[in-house]
Amino acid sequence: MTTIADLILTGATVRTVDLENPLAEAIAVGDGRILAVGTASEIEAFRGRRTEVRDLDGAAVYPGFVDVHNHHAVAGVTDLFELSFGTSLGLDEILDLVRDRAATLPEGAWVTGGSWASTLMDELNSSAVRRRLDEAAGGRPVMLSDDSHHNRWANSEALRLAGIAKETIPADGVTLLDAVDGEPTGVLLEAAGVLVAQAHARAGGLSTEQHRQASRRGVELLNGFGVTAFQDAAASLEILGALKTLDEAGELNAWVVSSLTINDEIFGFDTIGDALIDRGEEFRTTHHRPDFVKIFLDGVPPARTALFIDAYLPDDAHGAHFHGTTTMSFDELYDWLRRVAERGLGAKVHATGDGSARLLLDVIERLRSEGFADAPFQIAHGQFLADEDIRRLADLRVSADISPFIWYPGVIPDALAAVLGDRAEHSQPNRSIIDAGGLVAGGSDWPVSESPNPLEGMQGLVTRADPLGRAPGTLWLEQAITAEEALAVFTINAARAMGLDTETASITVGKSADFVVLDRDAVAGPADRIIDARVLSTWFAGREVYSG
């Protein structure tokens, strides 16, 4: 007897991302699952008196998009509670926004948010500019993140509350000093900014309810772009708690895989490492899986905090033979990854330099040889890889967590070129990874990126150009992939890297009914128009969670 569907969608181009049945024109949904996929006449058999039938009149249906790397709660906090601005703004414009924001806040309240362009770092790096920030804030403490969210710009009051002064420079990270008076300029690289984040938390930070609101808002924004599954790339105890309570209340409209933060170089989380891992399981729910850990193995190249095989371009502070550093030695990283694998968890490892990537692959090679054949490992962001390490990445079954949103020609590539020279033009070797048999999984790194729109990421993968037209040219065009491959990168590939591919990310009978309806088949159209497709609706577990 044929099961009667709750919902039938027909009259569509259905791209299933299922190799055994790649194209269809109709689907049937029942009890939150995909009942059938096929022609309109085949699906008609699942129609009953109470079945809702929607004729999509030529629209397209794709699996719900999957984002393997974002910070949904950080984005939610920024959207609801902070000052938010784009990287196109200059110093004067940022100061004007701070002045306007400060005028709305009570005395002593913090001005937080971002993101300032990393190319502004030299301009911000002076005591004189810090004093301009003081004036704009009217005595209130200020903490603003850069476009990588690894570095911060703080004013004098925030530095005072964090205990950072000329005489008390923190040992971790880098506190930049004024060349004239030797005072901290307020530009804090990597872990140096954690003290300011902790000072903000001591001043009150966010309540439990605000954390819940932030996570809910982050998921809501993702649903608006067709995203129905994602991996939070660095979760805190508060984020884990928010996700658990949302799912138990039936309000978590996405599959979420959390990465439990092991070493915190940028966020200032209270509970990290073993203490957080030990509590991970208490937050597991139907749709929330605390299945990964997050390790920051290095920082970001523009701040010269990533390790490279060849030296950075010379500068006054580092000389001509500086290669950068990692946060852990081989033995330290091996110890963490082995212990994590023994507990059945995966690891997402931030490694942006090719030297850091090689260290990670060396450690994983040892672990594979010791019998940890199935432990899932991801390299984030894998943007620079030595040629010989691309094949190793594939052979060792390390997923490449890539964020095309942050490597278009534009601000970040310009910042990379300033420290790497011509090497900056050879980043994100995605074609080579796929050809070597590696898994390329798509992530936004939102809110490091200004938008988590997967269509934007897909277009960048195909054209190697800026989909928004903000900057001319292309970036290593030989590494372009096809539109069909790009769709897989932001659906089934990302889900496979996260361990969700048996639940979602293809329109396959038995899987969760997670899909997005677009006004056109973006994959079949011009490569430079993929981003023009519009999300009409997003569905999670058979429920419409967004309507455009």
Side-chain angles (χ1 to χ4, degrees):
M1 180 176 177
T2 301
T3 302
I4 300 302
D6 299 321
L7 171 71
I8 287 176
L9 299 182
T10 188
T13 297
V14 182
R15 289 194 178 271
T16 66
V17 196
D18 182 337
L19 294 178
E20 295 185 3
N21 184 27
L23 286 172
E25 61 182 5
I27 63 173
V29 174
D31 197 23
R33 295 276 165 176
I34 302 293
L35 288 180
V37 183
T39 65
S41 59
E42 289 170 337
I43 300 303
E44 182 66 22
F46 294 84
R47 182 172 181 170
R49 286 182 300 167
R50 297 183 180 180
T51 301
E52 178 184 359
V53 179
R54 294 195 183 188
D55 187 333
L56 297 182
D57 192 25
V61 179
Y62 293 174
F65 293 122
V66 184
D67 186 339
V68 79
H69 188 131
N70 70 40
H71 303 276
H72 82 286
V74 175
V77 168
T78 299
D79 185 74
L80 294 176
F81 308 120
E82 294 190 329
L83 172 63
S84 178
F85 54 89
T87 56
S88 63
L89 299 190
L91 172 60
D92 290 342
E93 295 167 303
I94 294 172
L95 291 174
D96 286 342
L97 289 177
V98 170
R99 188 174 292 106
D100 292 343
R101 175 76 171 181
T104 69
L105 299 174
E107 200 71 28
W110 284 65
V111 179
T112 60
S115 304
W116 49 272
S118 51
T119 49
L120 285 178
M121 191 175 296
D122 289 342
E123 185 176 358
L124 304 183
N125 188 31
S126 77
S127 295
V129 173
R130 187 196 69 238
R131 287 191 288 270
R132 290 186 65 190
L133 183 59
D134 295 341
E135 181 277 327
R140 296 164 182 79
V142 180
M143 176 180 66
L144 302 176
S145 297
D146 75 340
D147 50 21
S148 73
H149 281 243
H150 279 244
N151 309 305
R152 292 179 173 88
W153 181 34
N155 73 343
S156 300
E157 179 63 7
L159 293 176
R160 184 189 70 79
L161 292 171
I164 298 174
K166 187 176 182 179
E167 302 77 22
T168 56
I169 301 299
D172 293 336
V174 176
T175 302
L176 297 185
L177 305 178
D178 187 90
V180 177
D181 61 21
E183 295 286 342
T185 65
V187 177
L188 307 167
L189 307 186
E190 303 293 342
V194 168
L195 290 176
V196 179
Q198 291 171 338
H200 174 241
R202 288 195 299 273
L206 297 177
S207 67
T208 299
E209 176 56 27
Q210 285 176 316
H211 278 292
R212 189 174 186 273
Q213 292 172 12
S215 275
R216 183 168 53 205
R217 179 58 175 159
V219 175
E220 180 181 33
L221 292 170
L222 288 164
N223 288 160
F225 290 103
V227 176
T228 56
F230 64 89
Q231 183 167 353
D232 189 284
S236 66
L237 206 57
E238 293 78 9
I239 294 170
L240 296 172
L243 291 167
K244 175 182 173 68
T245 59
L246 285 173
D247 203 21
E248 289 176 340
E251 298 176 12
L252 183 58
N253 294 326
W255 297 93
V256 186
V257 173
S258 286
S259 311
L260 311 176
T261 308
I262 283 182
N263 62 329
D264 182 5
E265 300 296 310
I266 58 177
F267 293 109
F269 294 154
D270 283 339
T271 305
I272 60 174
D274 285 321
L276 186 60
I277 294 172
D278 287 343
R279 294 193 59 184
E281 278 302 307
E282 70 184 77
F283 301 101
R284 185 179 298 278
T285 60
T286 301
H287 299 111
H288 175 227
R289 300 183 178 187
D291 284 348
F292 275 71
V293 303
K294 172 63 175 289
I295 293 175
F296 289 96
L297 186 56
D298 66 5
V300 290
R304 299 178 188 250
T305 51
L307 178 64
F308 279 85
I309 296 169
D310 295 323
Y312 287 94
L313 295 180
D315 73 343
D316 293 339
H318 302 90
H321 305 288
F322 183 69
H323 293 256
T325 59
T326 55
T327 63
M328 296 182 185
S329 66
F330 178 99
D331 289 340
E332 290 170 325
L333 181 60
Y334 168 79
D335 178 64
W336 270 114
L337 292 186
R338 182 180 176 89
R339 286 195 287 133
V340 165
E342 287 173 343
R343 297 180 74 146
L345 297 174
K348 181 188 289 290
V349 182
H350 174 107
T352 60
D354 58 9
S356 308
R358 177 165 291 178
L359 173 61
L360 172 61
L361 293 176
D362 289 345
V363 169
I364 292 174
E365 185 171 19
R366 177 174 171 182
L367 289 168
R368 295 294 191 217
S369 72
E370 293 174 347
F372 294 96
D374 299 322
F377 297 115
Q378 302 171 4
I379 180 170
H381 302 267
Q383 56 190 13
F384 292 103
L385 293 167
D387 290 344
E388 56 269 36
D389 287 331
I390 291 174
R391 171 59 64 180
R392 294 180 69 207
L393 184 88
D395 290 346
L396 292 169
R397 301 181 305 288
V398 178
S399 302
D401 156 1
I402 60 141
S403 298
F405 304 77
I406 58 176
W407 53 256
Y408 302 135
V411 172
I412 289 182
D414 287 348
L416 292 171
V419 297
L420 298 175
D422 292 343
R423 278 180 292 164
E425 299 175 9
H426 292 86
S427 68
Q428 297 287 347
N430 303 314
R431 175 79 272 154
S432 295
I433 294 172
I434 291 173
D435 289 347
L439 183 71
V440 174
S444 65
D445 204 8
W446 179 59
V448 174
S449 66
E450 294 182 22
S451 163
N453 183 1
L455 294 170
E456 183 179 332
M458 287 171 56
Q459 182 166 318
L461 289 169
V462 177
T463 66
R464 304 287 296 197
D466 181 2
L468 302 180
R470 297 163 298 187
T474 57
L475 184 67
W476 204 5
L477 188 56
E478 294 84 352
Q479 293 296 329
I481 66 176
T482 68
E484 289 84 356
E485 288 170 327
L487 179 58
V489 164
F490 276 96
T491 51
I492 195 66
N493 287 14
R496 186 168 294 128
M498 295 158 52
L500 286 176
D501 54 307
T502 60
E503 288 283 1
T504 187
S506 68
I507 299 176
T508 302
V509 172
K511 284 192 176 184
S512 182
D514 310 330
F515 51 86
V516 56
V517 180
L518 302 174
D519 67 345
R520 72 195 74 179
D521 183 8
V523 168
D528 61 355
R529 299 288 304 277
I530 290 174
I531 196 174
D532 292 341
R534 185 167 61 89
V535 175
L536 300 179
S537 61
T538 303
W539 298 71
F540 175 68
R543 295 181 287 108
E544 189 172 19
V545 295
Y546 171 80
S547 178

